[in-house]
């Protein structure tokens, strides 16, 4: 796994330098484990680097299959909630056998990408369309910075939701859309409130906290010494 710096030390990543260094090492170890497990000493080469955006932020990026020029659009992977590039550690060695370029990113606000202050509200106070635009606009800026014309966009969980939102707004840039257990597909049933009123109190409290903008990651930030690197 090779790395290339693009001035990330000038960007507020929301954590201490020692915590960020630990996250870099953990990411590389996880990716190397996946590659060696499936391919031994062979397999695809990975390059990790930060792509600068016009607004001064960066999106942390992995590129695989650097030495295989192809006319096929690259595969771009978007991870799920509270995750990062490392979530694909067992997937990348297999996708690498497709014979095309593969890229994965830390979604803006996650992993080693920039973490600008969130100012759009939490839970039900947040306008979904504004939140979608916050992510989709940055993904589009990333695409432009990378010089990608069209891509095969694959997203898991929240990454699937964002992939669909991106494809709706920029259909001319998506050759194929792959949704892997995407979030946000089913709508709440009309009798949802009636169905949950008799659920255990812990379930109801968790649901209320979620709708008010709380999540497991919120409490991880409060308890871990390396808070804000998750």
């Amino acid at each position: 796994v090779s790395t290339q710096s693009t001035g990330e030390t000038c960007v507020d990543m929301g954590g201490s330098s020692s915590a960020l260094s630990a996250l870099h090492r953990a990411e590389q170890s996880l990716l190397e484990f996946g590659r060696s497990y499936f391919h031994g000493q062979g397999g695809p080469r990975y390059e990790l680097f930060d792509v600068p955006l016009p607004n001064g932020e960066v999106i942390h990026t992995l590129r695989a299959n650097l030495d295989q020029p192809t006319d096929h659009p690259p595969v771009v992977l978007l991870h799920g909630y509270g995750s990062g590039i490392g979530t694909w550690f067992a997937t990348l060695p297999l996708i690498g056998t497709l014979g095309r370029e593969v890229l994965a990113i830390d979604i803006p606000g996650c992993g080693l990408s920039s973490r600008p202050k969130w100012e759009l509200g939490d839970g039900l106070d947040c306008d979904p369309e504004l939140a979608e635009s916050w992510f989709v606009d940055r993904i589009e800026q990333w695409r432009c910075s990378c010089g990608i014309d069209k891509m095969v966009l694959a997203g898991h969980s929240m990454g699937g939701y964002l992939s669909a939102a991106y494809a709706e707004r920029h259909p001319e840039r998506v050759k194929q859309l792959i949704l892997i257990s995407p979030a946000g597909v089913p709508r709440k049933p009309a009798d949802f409130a009636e169905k949950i009123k008799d659920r255990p109190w812990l379930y109801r409290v968790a649901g209320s906290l979620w709708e008010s903008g709380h999540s497991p990651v919120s409490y991880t930030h409060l308890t871990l010494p390396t808070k804000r690197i998750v």
Side-chain angles (χ1 to χ4, degrees), residues 134-191:
W134 191 92
F135 288 100
V136 168
D137 291 349
R138 285 166 169 79
I139 295 171
E140 172 62 4
Q141 290 174 23
W142 172 85
R143 182 200 64 80
C144 292
S145 294
C146 290
I148 297 171
D149 182 34
K150 286 193 174 185
M151 54 188 164
V152 175
L153 189 57
H156 170 246
S157 189
M158 189 183 86
Y161 179 98
L162 294 177
S163 295
Y166 178 91
E168 285 183 333
R169 300 189 189 195
H170 303 283
E172 74 282 0
R173 300 301 180 186
V174 180
K175 178 70 172 179
Q176 291 176 290
L177 178 64
I178 302 172
L179 303 180
I180 309 164
S181 187
V185 173
R187 296 183 180 275
K188 287 183 180 180
D191 58 347

Side-chain angles (χ1 to χ4, degrees), residues 60-197:
H60 189 58
T61 303
L62 174 146
R63 179 186 289 123
N65 289 350
L66 311 177
D67 302 324
Q68 296 186 18
T70 174
D71 293 332
H72 297 295
V75 177
V76 176
L77 304 173
L78 302 187
H79 62 77
Y81 175 75
S83 187
I85 289 172
T87 197
W88 305 105
F89 79 99
T91 309
L92 284 164
L94 303 179
I95 296 180
T97 63
L98 297 177
R100 65 171 66 194
E101 185 179 48
V102 181
L103 297 108
I105 67 171
D106 281 342
I107 289 172
C110 300
L112 286 161
S113 290
S114 296
R115 304 197 180 185
K117 184 179 179 182
W118 182 258
E119 298 178 332
L120 299 179
D122 298 312
L124 296 177
D125 294 330
C126 178
D127 184 327
E129 290 192 10
L130 293 178
E132 286 181 11
S133 295
W134 191 92
F135 288 100
V136 168
D137 291 349
R138 285 166 169 79
I139 295 171
E140 172 62 4
Q141 290 174 23
W142 172 85
R143 182 200 64 80
C144 292
S145 294
C146 290
I148 297 171
D149 182 34
K150 286 193 174 185
M151 54 188 164
V152 175
L153 189 57
H156 170 246
S157 189
M158 189 183 86
Y161 179 98
L162 294 177
S163 295
Y166 178 91
E168 285 183 333
R169 300 189 189 195
H170 303 283
E172 74 282 0
R173 300 301 180 186
V174 180
K175 178 70 172 179
Q176 291 176 290
L177 178 64
I178 302 172
L179 303 180
I180 309 164
S181 187
V185 173
R187 296 183 180 275
K188 287 183 180 180
D191 58 347
F192 179 76
E194 183 69 20
K195 286 184 174 181
I196 68 170
K197 72 176 185 179

